[in-house]
Amino acid sequence: MAHDEFSLIRQWTSRSAGQEGNGLTVGIGDDAAVFSPAPEMEVVACCDAMVETVHFLKKTMNPSDIGYKAVISNVSDVAAMGGVARYALVSIAVSPQWTPDECQQIYEGIYEACQAYGVRVIGGDTVSAPDALHLSVTVLGEVEKGRAIRRSQAKPGQLVFVTGHVGTSAAGLHLLLQGETAEKGVSASWETLMDAHQRPVAQIKAGRLLLESGACSALNDVSDGLASELWEIAEASGVSILVDAATVPIHDEVREYARHVEKDPLEWAFYGGEDYQLVGTLAKSHYEAVSKQFAASGVPFTVIGEVVEKRHEPELMLQRDDQQLPLPKAGFNHFRSG
């Protein structure tokens, strides 16, 4: 970075100046930020990184989308605990291939996402990198004491649900990687798929509904694919899970695009990831009340299966037509060989 580091930092983070108050005692511009959560609340902390060539390419994400998505992936983790995101710390390592203007756009995306979810940037770090851009966002949120929803409380006999639709982001990434144009037959409606990949939505509202209902036993956000998240719930809770393929909510646009490229949309739903929907479990006795709450709030809510007793080890099974098939423990995995 040939420009003066500190002037660039001040420029990129200028929208955070003078934001003290409402729990924030010391904001950006000092050695550290200081905040005070309400006495009846607990802090929820999470951190996610986005690395060029691993998480994104310039051909699939413009700079502002990168910043936006980095915030959303963290806000989604807070939503999966039933909490509310409050503050963000942003660290960026910039390679020579990225201009100050592109980095400014990354921060514009960061602030756009923060504004959408009521989050304030309160600090971070800026360094240089030799070969690729690295962006790490830490989000601090809050949740009522003793009420954070975890992955580990699913019980046999409970229903398995998911919010929204799954597989949309993976379909959008597939479309972006193909580099197809309208001249090659891409429907204008498929822009929805690209939007889902580049500008995902964190389900804070759904997480709060589930926490306030008191009905949700286990909860996870769909960041690495539906199969991966269900496996995490099954293993953390010591149960098995059976999913009905016919009930998995997949957008019509995804099905249409899947037919166009001869793909199985369930593959995107289970192994694509980055939908940032919520998947969890609740007792059958709570289903009617919770589904009415979601319907009144305009948030899609679909039951896709059931928690069952494990036989020897936790399992994830898919009911498809007349067959029960094992769903492998897969999804995006940084360290999977091959």
Side-chain angles (χ1 to χ4, degrees):
M1 297 170 64
H3 295 72
D4 175 62
E5 174 186 353
F6 298 104
S7 64
L8 284 174
I9 293 170
R10 285 193 295 271
Q11 179 182 331
W12 295 342
T13 62
S14 61
R15 292 171 60 175
S16 292
Q19 287 193 356
E20 285 83 358
N22 193 25
L24 182 64
T25 306
V26 180
I28 200 166
D30 215 307
D31 285 322
V34 180
F35 69 95
S36 177
E40 70 277 8
M41 306 296 279
E42 292 177 315
V43 174
V44 181
C46 54
C47 179
D48 268 329
M50 290 186 69
V51 179
E52 187 179 1
T53 74
V54 177
H55 297 97
F56 65 88
L57 301 169
K58 278 191 172 182
K59 69 181 285 189
T60 63
M61 302 277 284
N62 67 46
S64 64
D65 292 335
I66 295 164
Y68 193 94
K69 195 169 185 176
V71 172
I72 294 304
S73 65
N74 282 278
V75 174
S76 181
D77 285 333
V78 176
M81 308 295 289
V84 179
R86 295 298 188 202
Y87 306 112
L89 299 161
V90 178
S91 292
I92 189 170
V94 184
S95 68
Q97 294 78 22
W98 289 78
T99 67
D101 181 62
E102 287 175 321
C103 293
Q104 179 72 64
Q105 291 176 53
I106 289 172
Y107 273 84
E108 288 301 316
I110 288 169
Y111 281 108
E112 188 178 346
C114 285
Q115 184 174 8
Y117 291 91
V119 177
R120 288 186 280 178
V121 178
I122 60 172
D125 194 19
T126 305
V127 296
S128 61
D131 53 1
L133 185 136
H134 298 241
L135 178 63
S136 177
V137 176
T138 298
V139 164
L140 304 171
E142 59 186 14
V143 67
E144 289 80 355
K145 276 192 175 179
R147 297 192 62 191
I149 308 172
R150 303 177 65 180
R151 300 170 179 166
S152 57
Q153 301 302 310
K155 301 289 190 295
Q158 292 182 338
L159 299 174
V160 178
F161 67 85
V162 67
T163 65
H165 298 83
V166 286
T168 318
S169 176
L173 176 59
H174 186 280
L175 178 58
L176 287 161
L177 289 172
Q178 300 312 302
E180 294 187 84
T181 64
E183 286 74 24
K184 292 184 179 179
V186 173
S187 167
S189 68
W190 294 346
E191 291 181 6
T192 302
L193 312 185
M194 294 184 286
D195 287 343
H197 180 71
Q198 295 171 331
R199 291 289 174 125
V201 177
Q203 302 300 314
I204 285 285
K205 185 177 182 180
R208 295 300 290 170
L209 279 174
L210 291 165
L211 181 136
E212 290 162 6
S213 73
C216 186
S217 300
L219 196 60
N220 217 354
D221 76 316
V222 184
S223 55
D224 295 326
L226 188 57
S228 176
E229 315 308 341
L230 287 170
W231 264 108
E232 287 180 347
I233 290 174
E235 291 184 321
S237 300
V239 297
S240 292
I241 291 175
L242 177 63
V243 178
D244 182 355
T247 61
V248 175
I250 298 174
H251 256 304
D252 290 342
E253 289 89 343
V254 173
R255 295 186 187 278
E256 182 188 355
Y257 179 65
R259 286 192 293 270
H260 178 71
V261 295
E262 299 181 338
K263 296 287 185 180
D264 182 354
L266 280 174
E267 285 289 322
W268 289 331
F270 283 112
Y271 300 113
E274 295 191 334
D275 290 303
Y276 300 113
Q277 297 296 333
L278 299 181
V279 60
T281 69
L282 79 168
K284 293 178 181 178
S285 59
H286 292 302
Y287 167 71
E288 186 174 352
V290 172
S291 62
K292 285 181 178 177
Q293 285 180 305
F294 271 80
S297 300
V299 180
F301 177 87
T302 306
V303 169
I304 60 170
E306 186 174 355
V307 183
V308 296
E309 293 276 2
K310 68 174 183 179
R311 286 179 285 188
H312 302 289
E313 298 293 332
E315 294 178 291
L316 179 59
M317 303 292 293
L318 180 69
Q319 182 73 43
R320 193 169 194 180
D321 300 323
D322 296 326
Q323 291 184 300
Q324 270 193 21
L325 307 168
L327 273 172
K329 189 185 298 184
F332 186 79
N333 184 332
H334 289 273
F335 303 105
R336 185 171 61 239
S337 62

